[in-house]
Amino acid sequence: MGSAFAQLLADSGNEVCLVGTHLDREIIDNLLADGIHPGLKVKLPKKVRVYFIEDLERILDDRVRMIVFGVNSAGVHWAVERIGPILQAPVPILMLTKGLAIQRNTINILPSIVAEELGRYDLNAIPVGAVGGPCIAGELAARRDTSVVIAHSDVELLDRLLKFVDAPYYHVRGSTDLIGVEACAALKNFYTLAVGYAAGELKKNGAASNGALMHNLAAGLFTQALAEINCFVKFLGGRSATVFGLPGAGDLYVTCQAGRNGRMGKLLGSGLLYREAKSQHMPDDTIEGAELALCIGKTLKQLIENKKIDGNAIPLAASIVNAICDNQPLQIPWHQFYRH
Amino acid sequence: MGSAFAQLLADSGNEVCLVGTHLDREIIDNLLADGIHPGLKVKLPKKVRVYFIEDLERILDDRVRMIVFGVNSAGVHWAVERIGPILQAPVPILMLTKGLAIQRNTINILPSIVAEELGRYDLNAIPVGAVGGPCIAGELAARRDTSVVIAHSDVELLDRLLKFVDAPYYHVRGSTDLIGVEACAALKNFYTLAVGYAAGELKKNGAASNGALMHNLAAGLFTQALAEINCFVKFLGGRSATVFGLPGAGDLYVTCQAGRNGRMGKLLGSGLLYREAKSQHMPDDTIEGAELALCIGKTLKQLIENKKIDGNAIPLAASIVNAICDNQPLQIPWHQFYRH
């Protein structure tokens, strides 16, 4: 996603430096050789200059107007530790990384955690924003029509960030609901595990004798997922309008159509337990939704027990946590649905 | 859908009389012969007794506790004219028929129109309710998990209606937002024409050289559709919670996965004009979304002109109306999206 976004920034008229992590050496080697990104399978424009991580200090000078984080959620702390000691001024950061994490026994969004961690480097008030909405990286890289939301809690900075992206295939709007955008971006992966259940149940039971599939089931799960994302977003302090717009409904829709989380959901729906599904079928894949369950599962149970979150409002979340954290069969708690 | 619902009512312990219209003689003949519904391809349970329309007067006696309308929207007036002169008492009516129609130069929901028309037969205050949510008839007929909302503006009657349906595969909740439920049920067909556009554009242009498809595009259109349905529902006097629940998001989701409206949208996205698409590819199909456009198109334009509806909030609706009513190419007005 970082590389696709780098191309977008170049298409928008910016000079872009794309810096790989230590895990991206092969990608960077490829890009330096012929400009072709081996994952995205596109040739990046020449205006995207490509660097190894060792070049970071040299690149991060006072001409830098924006830093974009394209690492995965496990790499965020690493990225902060690289950038913190080097950065001279509070350059705005835009995070493509989606995530929720545990902080002081509750759930927080990654941009807040990053902003706080950067504060330790005498870089107070580094403004951290985020991108949400339905955006498969390969499609963005192919310059196919993509609709997103860029979020920042500061309106003036939001306007500045929006000016960096201006390409005909990128349909962008701004939002000040950073919490809602980030929470939706993380939770859509988690809930796609459950929507994917329908495809697995269908695989297990087959089409009915009259040819009927299980679209009704998938749509019911999709709707419950959306309602529960709304509960989470309200708990975290975000806005419902975000849930029912591109960051929530739009991103959940696209994630249910394709990708690893849906594939894992299908495996769970077909009757496999999480650990066997992972080890037998997707050993080398990062399943973001499952990673999130493992990260927040225990704290979520405590928050429900302590009545900080209304467990009745998120029965599907509890089922997903049981399936991933406790390796239980994924159950669909129908009798607890559609109450809100 | 009427026959699938009849089976559900029988499964729920009710005695059910299924009455065909004059257009359903072949279906009724089949059902009387061996119980198999030729469209749904299931054998209906014996507790569903099957009748020709000529039997209606004999059946509609004082033991009838609920009447369910399963005709299509074009058949609603016909059904009222059949039932009005016979009905002795104000038996509650539940409409499976989805629709909006023009009444006194504005848009109204079908249940209100039916209630008003029945008023002419000295049957004042016939309570008309509706069913919404993601429900493909063939899946309901195969007893696959299905989630719906039954809507009635009167809470007490709603409780009575809900008691008629009780089957393990039918996950139902009640709503008093009859307007919202009915408007969503009609509009999801209309907007699926636009979401289907993405599949047509993909067919026209093919996968990108890196294999990228057009899921981002489809998700963007899905989200805009949801936002515009919300505008319509608010204009008509319904509630946003309905739009973002089973009747709106859930039903739009399922309709985008399968069915005639999506197929027509795909034809439009591939570059065909509506009239050639219809005559060349779907001459015998009823495209409910296109029928709705033809029904409300002219009035909708007037409502926008007279500033009764904010045209800026529903740019995709205007594009669909142009495509269907004026046989123009379906345009995606990106620059007008995501304002609300």
Side-chain angles (χ1 to χ4, degrees):
Chain A
M1 184 67 91
S3 301
F5 199 82
Q7 173 176 273
L8 163 70
L9 288 171
D11 287 353
S12 304
N14 304 288
E15 287 193 39
V16 188
C17 300
L18 177 65
V19 186
T21 73
H22 55 292
L23 300 172
D24 300 323
R25 292 198 186 279
E26 212 182 309
I27 296 175
I28 301 296
D29 279 333
N30 271 284
L31 285 169
L32 288 171
D34 58 10
I36 293 175
H37 189 290
L40 297 173
K41 297 188 177 60
V42 297
K43 191 180 170 81
L44 293 188
K46 291 222 174 80
K47 282 181 77 176
V48 177
R49 280 171 294 148
V50 178
Y51 298 93
F52 291 103
I53 185 66
E54 289 75 13
D55 300 315
L56 185 65
E57 187 158 0
R58 188 162 57 83
I59 297 160
L60 217 54
D61 61 23
D62 59 4
R63 292 172 306 167
V64 171
R65 291 285 163 269
M66 174 171 66
I67 297 170
V68 179
F69 272 27
V71 293
N72 68 19
S73 51
V76 163
H77 298 285
W78 175 91
V80 167
E81 283 169 11
R82 298 285 90 60
I83 285 171
I86 306 174
L87 209 57
Q88 304 290 324
V91 177
I93 291 176
L94 192 64
M95 288 182 64
L96 306 178
T97 318
K98 329 285 193 198
L100 297 175
I102 300 305
Q103 199 187 31
R104 292 182 284 272
N105 292 323
T106 191
I107 299 168
N108 201 352
I109 59 168
L110 272 190
S112 301
I113 294 173
V114 166
E116 192 176 313
E117 287 187 3
L118 281 166
R120 292 188 202 135
Y121 295 94
D122 279 337
L123 288 164
N124 282 320
I126 283 263
V128 182
V131 184
C135 182
I136 293 172
E139 294 188 16
L140 178 61
R143 299 186 172 94
R144 304 221 135 175
D145 284 304
T146 298
S147 311
V148 302
V149 166
I150 291 184
H152 204 290
S153 44
D154 180 313
V155 179
E156 211 174 295
L157 255 163
L158 180 59
D159 276 345
R160 239 164 84 193
L161 292 175
L162 286 168
K163 288 206 177 77
F164 287 111
V165 287
D166 179 23
Y169 56 86
Y170 200 70
H171 313 290
V172 59
R173 57 172 287 255
S175 165
T176 54
D177 182 20
L178 180 61
I179 293 173
V181 169
E182 189 69 13
C184 286
L187 288 165
K188 60 111 198 301
N189 291 322
F190 175 79
Y191 278 108
T192 295
L193 294 172
V195 183
Y197 172 95
E201 172 103 353
L202 177 61
K203 195 186 160 206
K204 194 172 62 180
N205 295 313
S209 58
N210 71 341
L213 304 177
M214 291 190 178
H215 294 303
N216 293 355
L217 171 58
L221 293 169
F222 177 86
T223 313
Q224 179 67 20
L226 209 54
E228 296 198 12
I229 291 174
N230 191 36
C231 291
F232 271 102
V233 164
K234 285 196 286 187
F235 166 76
L236 293 166
R239 294 199 291 266
S240 292
T242 302
V243 178
F244 302 122
L246 289 168
D251 204 358
L252 183 63
Y253 185 88
V254 87
T255 309
C256 290
Q257 307 302 309
R260 292 185 294 265
N261 296 288
R263 208 168 350 131
M264 174 53 76
K266 187 175 170 182
L267 293 169
L268 298 176
S270 74
L272 294 181
L273 297 178
Y274 171 66
R275 281 176 211 151
E276 49 175 335
K278 181 83 178 74
S279 63
Q280 289 169 22
H281 296 275
M282 305 180 75
D284 301 324
D285 291 305
T286 302
I287 321 284
E288 297 96 330
E291 294 301 319
L292 184 66
L294 293 167
C295 169
I296 68 169
K298 203 178 137 194
T299 305
L300 183 59
K301 282 183 185 180
Q302 285 166 356
L303 289 168
I304 292 172
E305 245 169 61
N306 302 336
K307 301 200 191 305
K308 298 264 172 72
I309 294 184
D310 176 8
N312 289 323
I314 52 168
L316 191 53
S319 277
I320 297 169
V321 166
N322 283 340
I324 304 298
C325 301
D326 303 333
N327 209 40
Q328 297 295 308
L330 179 55
Q331 304 273 2
I332 306 301
W334 286 113
H335 59 290
Q336 296 175 60
F337 277 10
Y338 316 127
R339 292 184 177 182
H340 293 257
Chain B
M1 184 66 89
S3 301
F5 200 82
Q7 173 176 272
L8 163 70
L9 288 171
D11 287 352
S12 304
N14 304 288
E15 286 192 42
V16 188
C17 301
L18 177 64
V19 184
T21 74
H22 56 292
L23 299 171
D24 300 323
R25 291 197 186 280
E26 213 181 308
I27 297 175
I28 301 297
D29 279 333
N30 271 283
L31 285 170
L32 288 171
D34 58 10
I36 293 174
H37 190 290
L40 298 173
K41 296 186 178 63
V42 296
K43 191 180 171 82
L44 293 189
K46 291 221 173 84
K47 280 181 78 176
V48 176
R49 281 172 293 149
V50 178
Y51 298 93
F52 291 102
I53 184 66
E54 289 76 12
D55 300 315
L56 184 64
E57 189 160 358
R58 189 163 57 84
I59 297 160
L60 217 54
D61 60 24
D62 58 5
R63 291 173 305 167
V64 172
R65 291 287 163 269
M66 173 171 68
I67 297 170
V68 180
F69 271 27
V71 292
N72 68 18
S73 52
V76 163
H77 297 287
W78 175 90
V80 167
E81 282 169 11
R82 296 286 90 61
I83 285 171
I86 305 175
L87 209 57
Q88 305 291 325
V91 178
I93 291 176
L94 191 65
M95 288 182 65
L96 306 178
T97 318
K98 328 286 192 196
L100 297 175
I102 300 305
Q103 198 186 33
R104 293 181 284 274
N105 292 321
T106 190
I107 299 168
N108 201 352
I109 59 168
L110 273 190
S112 301
I113 294 173
V114 166
E116 193 177 313
E117 288 187 3
L118 281 167
R120 289 188 205 135
Y121 296 93
D122 280 336
L123 288 163
N124 282 319
I126 282 265
V128 181
V131 183
C135 182
I136 294 173
E139 294 188 16
L140 178 60
R143 299 189 172 93
R144 304 220 135 177
D145 284 305
T146 297
S147 311
V148 302
V149 167
I150 291 184
H152 204 290
S153 43
D154 180 314
V155 180
E156 210 173 297
L157 255 163
L158 181 57
D159 277 346
R160 238 165 83 192
L161 292 175
L162 286 169
K163 288 207 177 77
F164 286 111
V165 287
D166 178 23
Y169 56 86
Y170 199 68
H171 312 290
V172 58
R173 57 171 287 256
S175 165
T176 54
D177 182 19
L178 179 62
I179 293 173
V181 169
E182 188 68 11
C184 286
L187 288 164
K188 59 110 198 304
N189 290 321
F190 175 80
Y191 279 107
T192 296
L193 293 171
V195 183
Y197 172 96
E201 173 104 353
L202 178 61
K203 197 188 161 204
K204 193 172 64 183
N205 296 314
S209 59
N210 71 343
L213 304 177
M214 292 191 175
H215 294 303
N216 293 353
L217 171 58
L221 293 169
F222 177 86
T223 313
Q224 179 67 19
L226 209 53
E228 296 198 12
I229 290 174
N230 191 34
C231 291
F232 271 102
V233 164
K234 285 197 285 188
F235 166 75
L236 293 166
R239 296 199 290 266
S240 292
T242 303
V243 178
F244 301 122
L246 289 168
D251 203 359
L252 184 63
Y253 185 88
V254 87
T255 310
C256 291
Q257 307 301 309
R260 293 186 295 265
N261 296 287
R263 207 165 354 130
M264 173 53 76
K266 186 175 172 183
L267 293 169
L268 299 175
S270 73
L272 294 181
L273 298 178
Y274 171 65
R275 281 175 212 152
E276 50 177 333
K278 181 82 177 78
S279 63
Q280 289 169 22
H281 297 273
M282 305 180 75
D284 301 324
D285 290 307
T286 302
I287 321 284
E288 298 95 330
E291 294 301 319
L292 183 66
L294 293 167
C295 168
I296 68 170
K298 203 177 139 193
T299 305
L300 183 60
K301 282 183 183 178
Q302 285 166 357
L303 289 168
I304 292 172
E305 246 170 60
N306 301 337
K307 302 203 190 303
K308 299 265 173 70
I309 293 184
D310 177 8
N312 289 324
I314 51 167
L316 191 53
S319 277
I320 297 170
V321 165
N322 284 340
I324 304 298
C325 302
D326 303 333
N327 210 40
Q328 297 294 308
L330 179 56
Q331 304 273 1
I332 305 302
W334 287 113
H335 59 289
Q336 297 175 59
F337 276 10
Y338 315 126
R339 291 182 176 183
H340 293 259

